[in-house]
Amino acid sequence: MILAQISDLHIAEPGQLVCGRVDTRAFLERCVARIRALPTRPDAVVITGDLVDRGTVREYEALHELLAPLTMPVYPLLGNHDDRAAFRQVFGGAPYLRHTREHVQYAFNVGELRVIALDTHDPGQPGGRLCADRLAWLSGELDAVRRQPVVIAMHHPPFATGIPFMDASGLAPDDAAELAAILSEHGNVERILCGHLHRAIQAWFAGTIAMTAPSCAHQVALGLEPDALSGFNFEPPGFLQHLWVDQMLVSHHTLIDPFPGPFSFSG
Ligand SMILES: [Fe+2]
Ligand SMILES: [Fe+2]
């Protein structure tokens, strides 16, 4: 079983560049081609938010077209750059949204895993929230699958990363504490898969491993100093592949663009 995770696509309308210089549509095209060319086809793809850049219907239409070549199920969730109404206008007919109400939250099976997608979107704010409603829904979903390994997918990571300008727009600390309290009652959460950081980062959180995926487009600059300049760069873009191996989830960072090799160890 392979669950691919792509993140922070920030798709712009045709003819537009993100931040004046990032052709995010071209980046996603390369990412989709890379996934299609993988020797072992992922069973599903989860997209951990910031699907588009400004939240317009035209952006979601462009995203829909760019994702069309993927033949496995694709499960998008929302980030701070998204817009619930515009997203639903384009993706609203998808079966995974059938039982959703205000929040874009749903659960699905992929191989042995139960994936629970959470909505941390807080309209107009860069940071994320998990209100009582969303947390109660999560609690119910977790109670229903106590014997199945679970992955929680959400845009904002529940931990501080040490990158000050990104931590200023993280998940609200009170909501992260509520999430931790719920997780402490469930020992079957294998991972919390997040986006938002545009970097691959891991941390222990409430008895499980929380990690963020790189963006398949631009990356956030690794600025750890308090006065570090906020910005992005063109470090090689990537995505994650989560494999179920020997009753454990194993996560591999995968680069999108070509590089030399493989070469034989025997020369
Ligand atoms: Fe993002
Ligand atoms: Fe974000």
Side-chain angles (χ1 to χ4, degrees):
M1 190 290 300
I2 300 179
L3 173 65
Q5 179 192 359
I6 63 177
S7 203
D8 293 86
L9 288 48
H10 287 261
I11 294 304
E13 293 185 13
Q16 305 273 313
L17 298 177
V18 168
C19 301
R21 67 175 75 231
V22 192
D23 185 353
T24 50
R25 291 176 315 284
F27 272 112
L28 181 56
E29 250 174 50
R30 296 211 297 276
C31 179
V32 164
R34 178 81 163 95
I35 291 172
R36 282 171 57 87
L38 287 170
T40 306
R41 176 185 178 273
D43 297 278
V45 177
V46 65
I47 314 179
T48 40
D50 284 355
L51 304 170
V52 302
D53 198 52
R54 292 172 188 265
T56 69
V57 170
R58 283 189 68 198
E59 289 178 339
Y60 286 109
E61 286 169 347
L63 171 68
H64 197 271
E65 248 174 63
L66 288 161
L67 295 173
L70 292 174
T71 53
M72 66 289 284
V74 176
Y75 297 99
L77 51 130
L78 304 187
N80 49 300
H81 281 257
D82 288 297
D83 180 276
R84 289 193 189 110
F87 170 75
R88 283 186 192 277
Q89 213 170 308
V90 179
F91 287 80
Y96 51 82
L97 293 176
R98 203 171 293 143
H99 300 295
T100 61
R101 288 182 294 180
E102 180 196 352
H103 300 117
V104 177
Q105 303 200 134
Y106 52 87
F108 58 93
N109 291 318
V110 48
E112 294 79 353
L113 286 183
R114 183 73 170 166
V115 182
I116 302 175
L118 281 179
D119 179 343
T120 58
H121 178 71
D122 186 19
Q125 300 300 323
R129 295 305 311 260
L130 283 172
C131 56
D133 207 37
R134 285 175 269 192
L135 289 164
W137 178 84
L138 169 67
S139 211
E141 288 295 318
L142 285 169
D143 285 344
V145 290
R146 286 190 174 270
R147 289 172 186 278
Q148 192 177 354
V150 167
V151 161
I152 294 173
M154 55 196 270
H155 182 65
H156 294 84
F159 59 91
T161 64
I163 303 176
F165 66 87
M166 289 303 291
D167 289 342
S169 67
L171 184 69
D174 287 357
D175 295 353
E178 298 261 5
L179 175 65
I182 293 171
L183 294 187
S184 68
E185 294 167 18
H186 299 270
N188 57 333
V189 179
E190 287 280 338
R191 285 288 191 291
I192 304 176
L193 303 179
C194 309
H196 192 53
L197 263 295
H198 294 230
R199 304 196 64 81
I201 306 171
Q202 300 84 34
W204 184 92
F205 179 81
T208 188
I209 299 166
M211 53 199 299
T212 65
S215 169
C216 62
H218 48 310
Q219 310 303 309
V220 161
L222 182 58
L224 299 175
E225 303 71 32
D227 57 348
L229 215 59
S230 70
F232 67 90
N233 61 29
F234 289 118
E235 284 176 64
F239 61 98
L240 301 177
Q241 295 190 74
H242 308 285
L243 279 64
W244 189 248
V245 183
D246 285 347
Q247 302 302 305
M248 278 192 285
L249 197 67
V250 178
S251 300
H252 292 271
H253 182 196
T254 309
L255 296 176
I256 292 170
D257 291 331
F259 44 82
F263 305 105
S264 166
F265 287 116
S266 54

